């Protein structure tokens, strides 16, 4: 299709004697599926939505949103976790998905959460779980040492293999000889693409080092493959330092010297654990955003935290992780101005003490969201 700015198109659609002038570039239209989910999920997604509305009012983007009801309430009342129809619409009808959290004590086996969250990660082949950890304000670090700033690294967690595929079995169920097997799967293409994504990110983001976190000493099949593929891919990136570290030592170093890390690449379960630790180093779960990506194909954004049943309904949930996840979404969708505006507003809120209790404040979810939304709109 010819665009208004296209010189050939201009001749066709806007005759040369026309005094037509664009008032402003059309803001980008982004179609977002909202899956608020369970517990504090709906509380924090509401605030993220508010911030998106501010971006629209500020003329930075156009947003189309649609809410999907999937979560524990929907499961308990209909028996449906994620319907095929909803899955197909989430796959085909949107530029991005924004999810709150799934998990509810009324569904102890977490069946719906696996179908919804892991279902979307696996079925949309969202192989990158991108989890940045940046200390936005020095006083938010729980570390005593003075040399902990700047903490600014990203975790590339493999998101479609490892111990999360569900492969395994129970043998001799219910007998004294019962045996449970969960298989960890690593494939060469699966490891190659996440390691490559980490190195590509390092290069494009001006980072100088990628660290592999593994357990090749104790789990030789899976992590032997990780080490070999890591070395092969690393040899293609001579400008980036490649480091390998056993994950137990890596966890120790994260606490001792977090500033030494730039990009960490690791497997699914190890990345899950390390990303909660990383979040805690920079102020806690209330501040940690994430993106689940199959670049250029599908994307799902969500706070790293869960449904936090211990604080649901109290107004104590920090909406910043969901709001920062929205900033990741806006940036990936091409609206870096809106993304910058949202991130700056979060930083200002933190500096101004507009904080929920988890980050040392007395404000509620709603107050923090409203303040950030107002700052975004004010510009
Ligand atoms: P959690 O992340 O929900 O909570 C851990 C701790 O962090 C709790 O003390 C909680 O109050 C606190 N916390 C979490 N989010 C917060 C926020 N926004 N503001 C302030 N404090 C916050 O982890 P959990 O308790 O292990 O899990 C609860 C449920 O959530 C489980 O069903 C679990 O499976 C699920 N879960 C879902 C996701 C997800 O949907 N992505 C992630 C993790 C856990
Ligand atoms: C996360 C969560 C999920 C995971 C759970 C809810 C399955 O902890 O997104 O970090 O383990 O990936
Ligand atoms: Mn987790």
């Amino acid at each position: 299709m010819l665009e208004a700015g296209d010189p050939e198109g201009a001749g066709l659609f806007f005759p040369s004697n026309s005094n037509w002038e664009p008032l402003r570039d059309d803001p980008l239209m982004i179609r977002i599926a909202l899956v608020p989910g369970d517990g504090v999920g709906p509380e924090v997604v509401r605030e993220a939505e508010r911030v998106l509305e501010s971006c629209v009012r500020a003329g930075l983007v156009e947003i189309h949103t649609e809410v999907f009801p999937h979560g524990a309430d929907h499961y308990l009342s209909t028996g449906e976790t994620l319907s095929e129809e909803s899955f197909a619409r989430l796959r085909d009808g949107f530029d991005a998905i924004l999810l709150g959290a799934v998990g509810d004590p009324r569904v102890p086996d977490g069946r719906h959460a696996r179908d919804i969250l892991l279902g979307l990660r696996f079925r949309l082949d969202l192989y990158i779980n991108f989890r940045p950890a940046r200390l936005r304000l020095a006083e938010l670090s729980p570390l005593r040492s003075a040399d902990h700033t700047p903490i600014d690294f990203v975790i590339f967690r493999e998101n479609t293999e490892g111990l999360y595929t569900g492969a395994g079995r129970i043998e001799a169920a219910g007998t004294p000889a019962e045996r449970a097997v969960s298989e960890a799967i690593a494939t060469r293409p699966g490891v190659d693409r996440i390691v490559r994504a980490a190195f590509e990110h390092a290069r494009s983001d001006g980072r100088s080092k990628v660290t592999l976190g593994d357990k090749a000493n104790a789990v030789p099949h899976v992590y032997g493959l990780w080490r070999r593929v890591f070395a092969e891919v690393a040899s293609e990136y001579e400008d980036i330092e490649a480091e390998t570290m056993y994950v137990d030592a890596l966890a120790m170093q994260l606490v001792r010297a977090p500033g030494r890390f730039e990009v960490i690449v690791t497997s699914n379960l190890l990345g899950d654990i390390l990303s909660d630790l990383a979040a805690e180093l920079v102020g806690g779960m209330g501040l940690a955003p994430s993106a689940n990506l199959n670049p250029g194909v599908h994307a799902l954004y969500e706070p790293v935290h869960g449904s936090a049943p211990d604080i649901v309904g109290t107004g104590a949930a920090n909406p910043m992780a969901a709001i920062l996840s929205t900033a990741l979404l806006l940036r990936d969708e091409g609206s870096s101005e809106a993304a910058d505006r949202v991130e700056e507003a979060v930083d200002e809120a933190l500096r101004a003490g507009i904080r929920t209790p988890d980050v040392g404040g007395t404000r509620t979810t709603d107050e923090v969201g409203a303040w950030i939304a107002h700052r975004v709109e004010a510009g």
Side-chain angles (χ1 to χ4, degrees):
M1 197 178 104
L2 292 166
E3 299 290 333
D6 179 330
E8 283 179 31
L12 273 173
F13 292 105
F14 306 105
S16 53
N17 63 353
S18 155
N19 58 5
W20 180 88
E21 284 212 330
L23 290 173
R24 60 179 161 89
D25 291 331
D26 274 349
L28 200 68
M29 164 61 93
I30 310 176
R31 297 164 305 163
I32 305 175
L34 301 172
V35 187
D38 304 328
V40 300
E43 300 174 15
V44 298
V45 167
R46 191 176 307 131
E47 304 310 321
E49 218 182 331
R50 220 172 179 175
V51 169
L52 282 170
E53 282 159 13
S54 295
C55 293
V56 172
R57 277 199 293 274
L60 299 171
V61 280
E62 288 291 348
I63 307 274
H64 166 79
T65 57
E66 186 175 329
V67 179
F68 284 72
H70 305 285
D73 282 341
H74 184 79
Y75 173 53
L76 292 169
S77 62
T78 66
E80 178 183 282
T81 55
L82 180 64
S83 63
E84 281 309 305
E85 189 197 335
S86 292
F87 172 72
R89 296 206 49 241
L90 287 166
R91 181 191 56 205
D92 301 329
F94 299 89
D95 300 304
I97 302 167
L98 179 65
L99 185 140
V102 281
D104 186 296
R106 294 170 299 165
V107 188
D109 67 0
R111 186 176 161 221
H112 74 295
R114 273 198 307 283
D115 278 7
I116 297 168
L117 181 60
L118 301 187
L120 288 168
R121 287 179 186 166
F122 277 78
R123 296 172 75 192
L124 298 179
D125 201 21
L126 304 171
Y127 65 93
I128 300 170
N129 194 332
F130 176 77
R131 297 189 154 182
R134 181 155 70 84
L135 185 58
R136 311 188 80 92
L137 197 61
E139 68 183 78
L140 295 175
S141 168
L143 300 177
R144 177 163 44 87
S145 68
D147 61 358
H148 59 254
T149 49
I151 302 175
D152 184 9
F153 62 88
V154 294
I155 296 176
F156 276 72
R157 168 188 178 191
E158 201 291 318
N159 216 24
T160 56
E161 300 191 339
L163 275 163
Y164 276 63
T165 66
R169 63 201 169 272
I170 301 273
E171 294 164 4
T175 73
E178 183 160 357
R179 193 164 175 270
V181 179
S182 291
E183 290 172 341
I185 313 289
T187 67
R188 176 172 278 279
V191 177
D192 185 280
R193 64 183 182 172
I194 186 70
V195 170
R196 207 167 280 283
F199 276 95
E200 280 297 321
H201 177 82
R203 192 176 264 174
S204 65
D205 202 40
R207 310 282 191 143
S208 61
K209 184 170 66 176
V210 175
T211 305
L212 168 67
D214 70 17
K215 199 63 193 163
N217 49 354
V219 186
H221 297 100
V222 158
Y223 292 114
L225 177 62
W226 271 84
R227 287 237 161 171
R228 280 183 277 123
V229 173
F230 183 77
E232 285 166 23
V233 174
S235 70
E236 295 175 35
Y237 294 82
E238 283 174 358
D239 48 325
I240 312 285
E241 185 190 339
E243 169 182 61
T244 54
M245 211 179 265
Y246 297 130
V247 70
D248 43 357
L250 198 161
M252 181 206 84
Q253 287 293 350
L254 271 179
V255 174
R256 175 178 287 211
R260 71 186 291 299
F261 293 100
E262 298 184 52
V263 178
I264 294 170
V265 63
T266 193
S267 62
N268 209 337
L269 181 63
L270 301 185
D272 178 45
I273 299 163
L274 290 180
S275 55
D276 271 32
L277 170 54
E280 215 50 38
L281 292 174
V282 295
M285 303 304 287
L287 288 178
S290 78
N292 300 263
L293 306 168
N294 183 338
V297 185
H298 293 296
L300 183 158
Y301 299 82
E302 54 170 344
V304 173
H305 67 72
S307 55
D310 53 333
I311 56 168
V312 70
T314 65
N318 188 344
M320 288 174 170
I323 291 170
L324 290 169
S325 301
T326 308
L328 293 179
L329 183 163
L330 289 166
R331 195 175 304 286
D332 288 349
E333 287 300 322
S335 187
S336 52
E337 196 183 344
D340 288 345
R341 194 87 78 90
V342 172
E343 293 209 4
E344 281 158 20
V346 168
D347 285 337
E348 266 185 70
L350 286 171
R351 282 196 299 272
I354 312 298
R355 307 185 198 167
T356 43
D358 57 306
V359 274
T362 55
R363 303 296 190 120
T364 63
T365 313
D366 169 79
E367 286 168 348
V368 171
W371 197 94
I372 294 169
H374 179 77
R375 285 303 306 155
V376 166
E377 194 174 342

